[in-house]
Amino acid sequence: MLELLAYLRANGFKTYIISGGGIEFIRPWSERVYGVPPEQVVGSSIKTKFQMRNGRPELFRLPGAEFRR
């Protein structure tokens, strides 16, 4: 994959990572590993809701996802 990305960039292509996974996971290492800057990573982000339950703070995962660029 690294060779393919290097070949594409050497021939004028701008490379992106498109993932159904979380961008919070991929963006921190995409540039170091693949040479793809964080702003060129497109993915999803899980929606969460903060609430107090029985006097304790909790984060709840909501149905659906946020799609960000």
Side-chain angles (χ1 to χ4, degrees):
M1 187 60 65
L2 295 175
E3 292 85 2
L4 175 60
L5 289 168
Y7 175 82
L8 290 170
R9 285 191 286 265
N11 286 281
F13 288 88
K14 189 172 186 179
T15 56
Y16 287 80
I17 294 177
I18 311 298
S19 173
I23 57 174
E24 292 85 2
F25 174 73
I26 299 169
R27 281 185 173 170
W29 52 265
S30 65
E31 189 162 28
R32 181 173 36 90
V33 175
Y34 292 113
V36 177
E39 63 272 10
Q40 289 172 220
V41 175
V42 180
S44 60
S45 183
I46 296 170
K47 288 185 180 184
T48 56
K49 177 183 176 185
F50 172 84
Q51 67 183 46
M52 297 295 288
R53 187 172 191 175
N54 298 325
R56 296 180 58 186
E58 293 185 345
L59 288 176
F60 287 88
R61 186 176 181 169
L62 300 173
E66 293 181 277
F67 295 95
R68 297 188 285 167
R69 179 166 183 239

